Amino acid sequence: MEDSDEEQAVSKLTKRATKIQIDDRDVNEWEQVQSAFFEHYNPLTVSRFRKESKSTTSGSGNNPPPPNLFSDTFCDGTTILCGFAGGTCRTLDVNRLSSEEVVLNAQTTWKHSGLTCLRCSRVSPFTFFSSSTDGTIRLWDVREEARKPSQKFALDEASEAANTKDKPKKKPILQFDVSSSDQLLGAGTELVKEDSYLLFWDVRSGKSLGAYWESHSDDVTAVRFHPHQNHCLATGSTDGLLNVFNLLETAEEDALQYSFNTNSSVDSVHWSNSESTTSSIMTCVTHTNEVQVWDALTGDRIAEINRKLLAETMMRSNPDAVYITSCYNLENSAIGLMTCSLSGGNTRLIELDSEMKPKPRGLFMDQTAVIQTAEYLSKAHRWATFDENGIIKLWHLQSPSPSEKKQKRSKNISSEDKRNKRFKPYNRD
Amino acid sequence: MTSKVSKETLFECVNAVIQHSQEKKRKFLETVELQIGLKNYDPQKDKRFSGTVKLKHIPRPKMSVCVLGDQQHCDEAKSNDIPCMDAEALKKLNKQKKLVKKLAKSYDAFLASESLIKQIPRLLGPGLNKAGKFPLLLTHQESMLQKVDEVKATIKFQMKKVLCLCVAVGHVGMSADELAQNVHLAINFLVSLLKKHWQNVRSLHVKSSMGPSQRLY
């Protein structure tokens, strides 16, 4: 039969196939890239946060993907919380990350199996929250010797049973957020039967405050409270919608303020952290590696940045290799995007200017692996990145050494003149 | 983007699918689907794989689109024989859940003018959200007909908990050329979203609703 012949031919080809690389490279000369991306970050410390996996480099390429990572920064700005999807999470003091040290001290880990999201407390540098597929959120205190949760937030069993005809199914939480001043917890769940929920709890009392289930038709993957207004909540889902809620309203249909249709699938949503408490700019990163910026006050779509535009800004050749790690709030209310190339690292920082147009900003030198998650430590102007090879790096803006200072001054002179200058005896280092 | 599937293999496969559907004609128009088997990807622990992609040829010709428009858009819609509703018509629904649900069921997709789309939660409540049919933004800068065609040509794909993804890319009434183009576009787009591109693809199959699947990769 023709099917089996074709199948045999195809399988022969696949067996002979060597490791398939993604083709992506710089479009411009390295000097041009360096001058366009004017901030150069270099690693201050490099260490390992995960044991090296027994990966094979055989032609079949059967490497299991690295476990999904979550991170957040404590409000003191020097301790980072990171966790694996497997369930363990630990704290890392950025001032104590020494080179080559395997950061696997069992004493500093907490376990919440089925971990899906981590958030640090907004007021205390010692407590954090974690959510999991078991449908609960737990509050932990790092000073607790026993490594047990201080508080557990779950759905009220009794009211659940009263509301549903059959046995209440557990609702796996995919992402959650804690409001400013630690008042409320809002969590988004997976699609369970036909509903995906937004669950709410009061932190101090631990009481469940109810749920919304009408505004999304698929898994809720992004939940973010406004940085200053704790009644304002943004949620995103794989159904492509970005919803904005005013939690002061009691009924869900009154609380829903806006629904923005990204026409894609939402991976994360971020509020701009401007000085003004009424800032309403929301940046959304989609699973298709594109960015959309919406205004939650006027309801307007301010910007739509596709992979092609990002590749151009990144000065790379292949739009299909663009990977967005996440979106960050930089100084002066600027919005930054950390982008990588799927061909391997080449991590660059893109800034959205006042018109929300992407501009090159920073280079993370010699980064060859895709960054899974990163934290921006604004007080110290440093970045902490966790990449797919299990390495954690702390980056700082390299202060230019004397030789570099000369090169910077001669930026506008042709490369030939630069070469000549270097040979002049009185300019040598 | 270089594809790991040669043009000949693609055409052979597509032709085989069409041939099979001709051999045993069904009473309905069979849909042609692309099935992708993935590897080295953990659906529980890795980043989601979902979104939309616009194909070259409309895969579902019978898709109905309704325009929720301001005065200008409604006039344009009427002159182009596209069903439409204006703010007044929406207000008449009085936010009643049953009526909104009925509206959601009557059309496959919605488009809405900028001014109207912002009022939808106030006018209709979350009914369209729940049905997964929240309208797409329709501006005055683009042609309505073009946008409607765009909507009809866009397919949604979603990765659930299994390592297999299925998307409708056409129907058996399309020519081999059109089907091949759609399949090619879909494959390239979906592969470009995978972290390791082709290293994450285990197999590719094309099949019609009732026919056997034809292996592509």
Side-chain angles (χ1 to χ4, degrees):
Chain A
M1 226 172 72
E2 42 172 29
D3 271 1
S4 55
D5 279 356
E6 209 182 282
E7 213 154 296
Q8 276 182 23
V10 170
S11 57
K12 272 192 199 153
L13 279 169
T14 48
K15 275 184 192 155
R16 267 188 268 135
T18 47
K19 204 171 179 188
I20 305 164
Q21 293 286 8
I22 298 170
D23 183 30
D24 184 30
R25 56 186 75 115
D26 279 321
V27 175
N28 306 71
E29 291 293 319
W30 185 235
E31 281 137 4
Q32 283 177 288
V33 177
Q34 280 191 306
S35 68
F37 289 86
F38 51 92
E39 287 182 353
H40 298 175
Y41 293 95
N42 279 282
L44 192 59
T45 60
V46 177
S47 46
R48 197 161 260 295
F49 66 88
R50 170 168 62 86
K51 273 195 206 140
E52 197 148 14
S53 51
K54 305 173 248 140
S55 59
T56 52
T57 41
S58 65
S60 61
N62 279 329
N63 300 321
N68 214 2
L69 267 188
F70 316 102
S71 65
D72 199 8
T73 315
F74 282 98
C75 51
D76 62 1
T78 58
T79 320
I80 296 180
L81 180 66
C82 75
F84 294 101
T88 49
C89 44
R90 58 173 54 93
T91 58
L92 297 166
D93 183 341
V94 289
N95 296 323
R96 297 222 202 111
L97 292 173
S98 53
S99 301
E100 304 301 323
E101 185 185 291
V102 182
V103 190
L104 277 185
N105 188 351
Q107 299 229 306
T108 53
T109 60
W110 289 266
K111 202 155 171 38
H112 188 176
S113 66
L115 187 68
T116 50
C117 183
L118 288 171
R119 289 275 194 263
C120 294
S121 154
R122 301 263 179 264
V123 295
S124 158
F126 301 114
T127 55
F128 67 91
F129 300 83
S130 66
S131 70
S132 113
T133 50
D134 64 9
T136 65
I137 295 184
R138 297 194 188 163
L139 171 62
W140 309 79
D141 190 317
V142 305
R143 298 162 295 192
E144 263 291 316
E145 290 276 330
R147 313 259 151 230
K148 283 213 172 84
S150 316
Q151 216 174 340
K152 193 170 159 188
F153 301 89
L155 286 171
D156 186 11
E157 298 279 330
S159 69
E160 275 281 290
N163 282 332
T164 54
K165 286 178 246 156
D166 24 42
K167 208 169 155 204
K169 268 188 116 177
K170 74 168 182 204
K171 302 170 177 63
I173 296 176
L174 290 176
Q175 205 182 85
F176 74 99
D177 198 14
V178 55
S179 67
S180 66
S181 61
D182 272 19
Q183 275 193 325
L184 289 171
L185 277 176
T189 73
E190 262 180 29
L191 186 68
V192 177
K193 276 203 182 153
E194 296 197 336
D195 300 310
S196 57
Y197 299 83
L198 276 175
L199 308 168
F200 298 98
W201 285 274
D202 176 83
V203 176
R204 214 181 311 163
S205 64
K207 255 178 46 178
S208 158
L209 295 172
Y212 291 161
W213 59 84
E214 303 267 295
S215 316
H216 281 297
S217 57
D218 208 337
D219 298 344
V220 180
T221 49
V223 179
R224 286 276 178 188
F225 276 98
H226 189 277
H228 308 292
Q229 301 164 28
N230 56 13
H231 58 263
C232 185
L233 179 69
T235 62
S237 151
T238 52
D239 64 10
L241 293 181
L242 262 177
N243 287 336
V244 182
F245 294 93
N246 174 1
L247 301 175
L248 291 172
E249 300 279 350
T250 39
E252 182 176 354
E253 52 178 48
D254 296 320
L256 181 61
Q257 301 296 301
Y258 283 118
S259 281
F260 300 133
N261 195 346
T262 62
N263 198 22
S264 180
S265 172
V266 179
D267 179 41
S268 61
V269 65
H270 309 261
W271 289 98
S272 164
N273 206 1
S274 87
E275 301 298 307
S276 153
T277 52
T278 55
S279 117
S280 54
I281 309 290
M282 287 164 49
T283 312
C284 152
V285 178
T286 66
H287 284 123
T288 44
N289 287 304
E290 298 184 332
V291 178
Q292 294 191 16
V293 186
W294 296 80
D295 186 332
L297 206 59
T298 61
D300 293 318
R301 183 175 60 196
I302 303 177
E304 238 189 318
I305 303 163
N306 60 21
R307 256 175 145 182
K308 187 156 166 279
L309 183 54
L310 280 171
E312 280 166 17
T313 318
M314 284 160 74
M315 293 175 152
R316 301 287 292 179
S317 63
N318 189 358
D320 289 338
V322 171
Y323 177 80
I324 304 176
T325 301
S326 191
C327 172
Y328 302 90
N329 285 320
L330 308 172
E331 292 78 29
N332 304 319
S333 319
I335 298 173
L337 296 169
M338 182 179 284
T339 58
C340 300
S341 164
L342 287 174
S343 65
N346 282 290
T347 310
R348 303 199 175 159
L349 189 63
I350 305 271
E351 180 182 339
L352 297 182
D353 65 16
S354 49
E355 287 167 15
M356 294 301 154
K357 288 206 169 62
K359 295 257 145 54
R361 174 158 171 165
L363 277 178
F364 288 84
M365 309 304 261
D366 302 319
Q367 176 62 25
T368 52
V370 170
I371 309 249
Q372 284 190 273
T373 184
E375 292 297 312
Y376 181 51
L377 306 156
S378 47
K379 285 187 202 152
H381 291 283
R382 287 181 183 170
W383 290 85
T385 62
F386 298 77
D387 69 28
E388 288 193 331
N389 288 338
I391 306 280
I392 171 175
K393 286 185 188 169
L394 185 65
W395 304 79
H396 67 152
L397 268 174
Q398 188 193 37
S399 43
S401 57
S403 56
E404 260 207 49
K405 266 190 187 151
K406 271 196 216 110
Q407 279 187 19
K408 273 195 175 164
R409 261 185 267 134
S410 56
K411 207 169 44 170
N412 297 324
I413 305 170
S414 73
S415 47
E416 206 183 65
D417 284 346
K418 261 195 244 169
R419 264 184 269 132
N420 288 337
K421 259 198 169 178
R422 260 185 258 150
F423 283 120
K424 287 193 181 139
Y426 45 87
N427 265 349
R428 208 179 293 163
D429 308 346
Chain B
M1 182 186 156
T2 52
S3 179
K4 295 292 169 281
V5 176
S6 69
K7 258 193 168 173
E8 299 89 53
T9 331
L10 179 59
F11 266 101
E12 252 180 65
C13 192
V14 166
N15 278 320
V17 171
I18 295 181
Q19 205 183 13
H20 271 277
S21 77
Q22 303 288 354
E23 279 169 16
K24 199 165 186 192
K25 283 227 157 185
R26 305 286 170 167
K27 288 184 196 155
F28 65 99
L29 189 65
E30 292 180 67
T31 320
V32 174
E33 316 181 312
L34 172 68
Q35 296 170 334
I36 303 186
L38 298 176
K39 65 174 184 189
N40 295 342
Y41 173 80
D42 188 339
Q44 297 262 355
K45 299 184 183 173
D46 222 338
K47 240 188 184 182
R48 285 305 166 110
F49 187 55
S50 52
T52 58
V53 60
K54 181 180 171 301
L55 297 176
K56 197 153 188 207
H57 305 277
I58 296 175
R60 286 158 315 190
K62 288 203 192 136
M63 194 176 172
S64 57
V65 180
C66 178
V67 172
L68 307 177
D70 51 24
Q71 197 57 48
Q72 198 182 336
H73 274 144
C74 276
D75 291 335
E76 206 183 325
K78 281 182 200 146
S79 59
N80 282 309
D81 263 334
I82 300 172
C84 68
M85 290 179 79
D86 63 3
E88 291 305 315
L90 293 176
K91 279 189 195 144
K92 283 207 183 112
L93 295 180
N94 240 333
K95 247 186 170 181
Q96 288 183 45
K97 274 193 180 174
K98 276 198 175 163
L99 292 178
V100 178
K101 215 173 171 181
K102 205 169 157 207
L103 174 66
K105 282 203 171 157
S106 345
Y107 298 99
D108 293 316
F110 294 87
L111 284 172
S113 320
E114 235 174 298
S115 55
L116 205 53
I117 207 171
K118 294 180 202 175
Q119 301 175 44
I120 301 238
R122 293 278 76 79
L123 291 172
L124 300 176
L128 291 182
N129 298 47
K130 190 76 180 173
K133 293 190 182 168
F134 196 83
L136 264 176
L137 187 61
L138 178 66
T139 62
H140 285 289
Q141 278 83 33
E142 44 197 355
S143 136
M144 183 181 286
L145 280 173
Q146 218 175 41
K147 192 79 187 184
V148 170
D149 279 342
E150 225 181 87
V151 170
K152 285 189 181 175
T154 307
I155 48 164
K156 194 166 173 125
F157 59 92
Q158 256 158 14
M159 177 55 108
K160 281 300 158 183
K161 299 198 178 156
V162 287
L163 283 174
C164 181
L165 182 71
C166 219
V167 275
V169 291
H171 57 85
V172 294
M174 291 165 75
S175 76
D177 253 337
E178 296 176 335
L179 263 180
Q181 277 179 352
N182 272 6
V183 171
H184 191 248
L185 255 170
I187 293 176
N188 280 346
F189 183 78
L190 294 171
V191 169
S192 78
L193 291 181
L194 295 164
K195 261 196 179 167
K196 296 276 177 222
H197 284 26
W198 284 94
Q199 269 187 359
N200 280 124
V201 181
R202 183 175 38 89
S203 64
L204 286 173
H205 291 265
V206 182
K207 113 187 244 307
S208 61
S209 314
M210 308 300 279
S213 66
Q214 307 287 342
R215 180 143 194 190
L216 197 55
Y217 175 81

